[in-house]
Amino acid sequence: MTMRYMQSFNHRLRRLREERSLSVIELADLCGIDERRIHAWESAQPQGRQYPDVGELVHLCVRLGAALETLLDLEDASNAGQLELPGLTNADGDELVRAVTELERALTVVQPSDQERELLRRFRAADQEQRQMILQLLVP
């Protein structure tokens, strides 16, 4: 059964991926998952379609630089202002704590470290020639 806020997820994900000129393989690499997951998420066939869990959904939004509402059908939700995430419907307190803990863990994984932020700051401060040299060193 598809949750109401995920009904057009497959179309929204595909459109967002295409707007960013990413192939399925490129998006899978960007998210660190198997490309079959992306194919399953974008599947036009309801029988073969799958949905990301909370951590994957947040990771996907962070990697694509997209707001959560870009991928979910929130405007049609009957409970305006309420957001149910996969795995949280009819959740008891323990399930909710586990889901929030999983979400925090997923957010921690995608957050850059202090060292990564400093590298990004320095990269952004570099001129175009320096950036090219840095990229040549990093990309095999």
Side-chain angles (χ1 to χ4, degrees):
M1 181 174 108
T2 304
M3 293 163 235
R4 70 178 180 275
Y5 53 90
M6 297 293 279
Q7 288 180 351
S8 66
F9 173 81
N10 62 322
H11 300 294
R12 289 170 180 255
L13 176 60
R14 182 180 194 131
R15 184 179 65 238
L16 188 61
R17 177 178 58 76
E18 289 174 348
E19 285 172 1
R20 286 168 171 61
S21 301
L22 294 170
S23 68
V24 169
I25 294 170
E26 290 169 328
L27 180 57
D29 287 345
L30 183 67
C31 293
I33 60 175
D34 190 283
E35 68 184 87
R36 290 176 290 193
R37 293 285 292 150
I38 305 295
H39 282 294
W41 293 346
E42 291 186 357
S43 177
Q45 303 301 319
Q47 305 89 327
R49 190 174 311 139
Q50 296 177 5
Y51 300 94
D53 63 27
V54 173
E56 290 172 322
L57 185 60
V58 170
H59 188 72
L60 186 62
C61 288
V62 170
R63 291 296 183 194
L64 287 172
L68 187 60
E69 51 271 10
T70 306
L71 293 171
L72 302 181
D73 300 312
L74 299 178
E75 61 275 355
D76 295 331
S78 61
N79 296 337
Q82 298 292 319
L83 173 62
E84 297 174 26
L85 293 173
L88 295 183
T89 55
N90 303 321
D92 65 23
D94 290 339
E95 288 179 63
L96 185 56
V97 168
R98 279 192 297 277
V100 169
T101 302
E102 178 185 339
L103 181 57
E104 288 173 342
R105 194 174 325 115
L107 288 172
T108 302
V109 169
V110 297
Q111 292 296 321
S113 68
D114 290 341
Q115 186 177 25
E116 290 168 324
R117 279 192 291 277
E118 177 61 19
L119 287 171
L120 180 57
R121 186 193 66 72
R122 289 181 182 194
F123 181 79
R124 287 180 175 164
D127 63 31
Q128 191 61 34
E129 186 177 323
Q130 291 170 326
R131 285 182 179 192
Q132 277 304 116
M133 289 175 28
I134 292 168
L135 292 174
Q136 287 175 353
L137 287 172
L138 295 176
V139 180

